[in-house]
Amino acid sequence: MRMTRIEPSAGKRQPHGRGRMRAGLGLLVLAGLALLLWPAFDWAVVSAYWVGEGASACPDKAGACWPFIRERFGQIIYGAYPDTERWRVNAGLALGAVLLAPLILLPLRRKALLICAFLAVYPLVALALFAGGVFGLEPVATDTWGGLFLTVVVGLFAFTTAFPMGILLAMGRQSPIPVVRLLAGTWVEFWRGVPTLVVLFVAVIMLPLFLPVEREIDKLARALIALSILMSCYIGESIRGALRSVPRGQYEAACALGMGYWRAHVHVILPQAIRVATPQITNIVIGLFKETSLLVVIGLSDLLGVIQSASGDTEWHLSSARATGYLFIALIYWGICFTMSRYSARLERRSQRGAGGAAAGTGHGA
Amino acid sequence: MAFLAGIANTLVLTLLAIIVSTLVALIVACLCMSSDRLLNGIGWGYVEIFRNIPALLQIFVCYFVVLRALPTATESMTLGGWLAINNRGVFLPTPHLGGAGAAWEALAFLAALGLAALVLRRKGGFVSKPVFITLAVVGFAVWALRWLEVEAPKIGRFGYEAGWELSPELCALVLGLAVYNASYIAEIIRSGIGAVPKGQWEAARALGFSPVQTMVRIILPQAMRVILPPMSSAYLNILKASSLGAAVAYPEIVSVMVGTTNNIVGRPIEIMGLTLVTYLSISLAVAYFMHRVDRRVGRSPEL
């Protein structure tokens, strides 16, 4: 058989004019980009008001109003948490970071056990620190919590409660008992079908109706319950997908070794499934972190809520305090979410290299 | 009644957001797949920036910053008198039917088209498909020129009066939701097209397909199977995110039900139940529809 000679493709033999045209187009794109970005940069940096105290430091909206951020920095980070007690927030969050960092970054043995310990113990310690009332700590009402602190706490607590629930839901949907399967399936599909905001409203408006009058639970707790129910469903779905990627042989081998349902799951199946699901779970956590901004709609002062209320002051009315605030918290949200998404991408690459790309998908909870 | 209006508003918002975000996403996905380093960087920059900022924050920026910065009604930006943008919203021209004959003529035209389509189906080669489509388009254009009168937005004593008005809330929501969700949809499109094996491009080229033909006839049909499932969940996410309208007082389901109706009627359980059921049924309907489409597209031969 005669081989057909394949002509070298047009892309390889680029005529001179083409390259020049390309460079010209590139310059045009650059110019367009600069034209688009320059006003934003000018507003945020060049024409911005940097010095001064109070609202009089920025008389108009021509530039960003950074004194606003400086003056309200404490509020943006801690909300209305009492000044003298703020060290407790710092201590609690620092403790969390110190405990979490080695778990994420270092290859430790018995990681699962450590993570379980973290999930079980840390929330209690943190709660004691933040809310007070024990160990001689001054009690601090949750309606003073706000800002970045509230956002992080909500994200952290919702995740720590949702993670175990998600595992149970995933196991429920794969359960050998039909009733459990049906119940878990209905539960998950129900909550996944409704918007986060509606779930938050349901929790805030309806939860008190089902509880006896004297047992008032505060708004933050209600919002937390709503978010963790929602997150557990999303996490459950991603773990369920991962459970299906665990080869049948693993179940059979565990069974052959005489392990029961629970022992097989805890020691053999779940560790593999969770490893596969980790990138997706990270994406869900990113989604959750962004969703915490909805708390402002039900009247909690999270990062977004703090800006809404602080810039709503009449004294800042003439300045661009609001826009500057948005820019500032956008940077905070972006920094945190971007870091997490890099982490998730790294995990995904590693698992694809390790396990030949078992199951990894794109997905986000919303 | 308020409930129905809420549903209508939700659907309008969702539809507009889906259309705009898909268009933006297509552009961004093209940028992300470009071999040019600069364009590629712009695409990635878009995705990484807007994906990592909460949708509500983006909506608030659009609503409280961008729209407030627009000029007032008397100084609004116009496009040759056909389109007006100001801080009260966006005003578009509205079409009106110019006479009683319009409907009859349209009906007759549609009947003729239907007949032609039937014949086309029976005989196979009677009229070719492009000719048929051209005929349809030309026919519609002639009809539109004869009967449609377009009323441009006009400025009256209290701002713009004539024309189709998009409220500032709607504009902010569509813009915010579209910008946010486009970053996700762009990634879905990009990874879907990336999932088609490279050999397909090379084979198409070897068979003498042009780049456009390769894309339309070889790559997209295969990519669609990968794209559709995540795309349908992205669209569902937009539907659910339309509830953020409650945050800027756009009268969609949540703000109508939980805000207005609950305050007037004071029966929270029934109202929340109705809201939940509404979202669930829309979600399930969309999921079912996408499932059908998915099955149709997925039926094409395996690789």
Side-chain angles (χ1 to χ4, degrees), chain B residues 198-220:
Chain B
K198 253 190 116 171
Q200 298 286 322
W201 291 91
E202 286 153 10
R205 185 166 206 166
L207 288 172
F209 279 78
S210 76
V212 175
Q213 271 180 326
T214 311
M215 197 67 191
V216 174
R217 319 210 84 157
I218 312 283
I219 305 300
L220 276 185

Side-chain angles (χ1 to χ4, degrees), chain B:
Chain B
M1 253 0 258
F3 175 59
L4 291 182
I7 292 182
N9 282 330
T10 293
L11 292 181
V12 166
L13 168 59
T14 309
L15 209 64
L16 284 176
I18 284 178
I19 293 170
V20 179
S21 61
T22 309
L23 290 179
V24 176
L26 275 174
I27 299 171
V28 175
C30 288
L31 290 177
C32 282
M33 288 183 294
S34 151
S35 57
D36 187 278
R37 204 172 299 155
L38 180 65
L39 295 179
N40 197 285
I42 295 175
W44 282 111
Y46 180 92
V47 170
E48 288 299 348
I49 289 174
F50 291 108
R51 188 162 70 160
N52 288 319
I53 295 173
L56 188 59
L57 177 55
Q58 297 191 33
I59 290 170
F60 275 1
V61 168
C62 291
Y63 187 60
F64 289 111
V65 178
V66 176
L67 275 172
R68 297 278 157 90
L70 289 176
T72 56
T74 44
E75 298 157 347
S76 54
M77 300 188 266
T78 59
L79 203 74
W82 290 108
L83 172 86
I85 301 174
N86 58 45
N87 59 9
R88 304 258 194 91
V90 173
F91 297 84
L92 301 170
T94 38
H96 291 286
L97 282 184
W104 291 113
E105 202 168 289
L107 220 61
F109 178 60
L110 280 180
L113 268 185
L115 214 65
L118 255 170
V119 173
L120 181 73
R121 208 163 187 196
R122 278 273 171 75
K123 300 230 163 134
F126 180 57
V127 217
S128 68
K129 224 174 187 176
V131 172
F132 177 74
I133 291 171
T134 320
L135 260 174
V137 170
V138 168
F140 177 75
V142 169
W143 176 80
L145 276 179
R146 271 174 58 115
W147 296 106
L148 271 186
E149 284 169 8
V150 179
E151 189 186 8
K154 271 194 295 286
I155 194 156
R157 203 185 300 171
F158 306 107
Y160 275 85
E161 279 166 358
W164 191 37
E165 177 190 348
L166 303 179
S167 69
E169 290 80 23
L170 181 62
C171 295
L173 283 166
V174 169
L175 202 63
L177 287 180
V179 166
Y180 175 74
N181 284 290
S183 63
Y184 278 100
I185 297 175
E187 270 292 87
I188 291 168
I189 296 174
R190 189 196 60 79
S191 61
I193 291 176
V196 178
K198 253 190 116 171
Q200 298 286 322
W201 291 91
E202 286 153 10
R205 185 166 206 166
L207 288 172
F209 279 78
S210 76
V212 175
Q213 271 180 326
T214 311
M215 197 67 191
V216 174
R217 319 210 84 157
I218 312 283
I219 305 300
L220 276 185
Q222 299 182 58
M224 265 327 208
R225 271 187 295 169
V226 185
I227 289 175
L228 269 181
M231 192 77 132
S232 63
S233 67
Y235 284 169
L236 273 178
N237 277 338
I238 295 184
L239 168 71
K240 289 194 275 171
S242 73
S243 64
L244 295 183
V248 290
Y250 175 72
E252 46 69 67
I253 300 177
V254 177
S255 76
V256 163
M257 296 303 282
V258 180
T260 321
T261 315
N262 189 30
N263 281 344
I264 298 171
V265 184
R267 284 180 168 276
I269 297 182
E270 288 87 338
I271 286 170
M272 294 312 302
L274 196 54
T275 315
L276 287 175
V277 168
T278 311
Y279 271 109
L280 272 183
S281 36
I282 302 179
S283 288
L284 288 179
V286 174
Y288 176 72
F289 174 73
M290 291 311 274
H291 177 69
R292 290 286 298 272
V293 174
D294 192 31
R295 274 200 15 209
R296 263 189 78 146
V297 175
R299 232 169 29 192
S300 50
E302 282 296 317
L303 287 175

Side-chain angles (χ1 to χ4, degrees), chain A residues 220-243:
Chain A
L220 181 61
R222 281 180 259 165
L224 268 176
I225 291 171
L227 282 180
S228 54
I229 286 177
L230 213 55
M231 277 310 122
S232 66
C233 293
Y234 286 114
I235 291 177
E237 277 305 276
S238 72
I239 293 180
R240 182 171 75 111
L243 276 178

Side-chain angles (χ1 to χ4, degrees), chain A residues 45 91 130 149 172 193 258 289 316 333 341 363:
Chain A
V45 179
F130 297 150
F149 163 57
F289 191 73
W316 295 97
Y333 277 120
S341 78

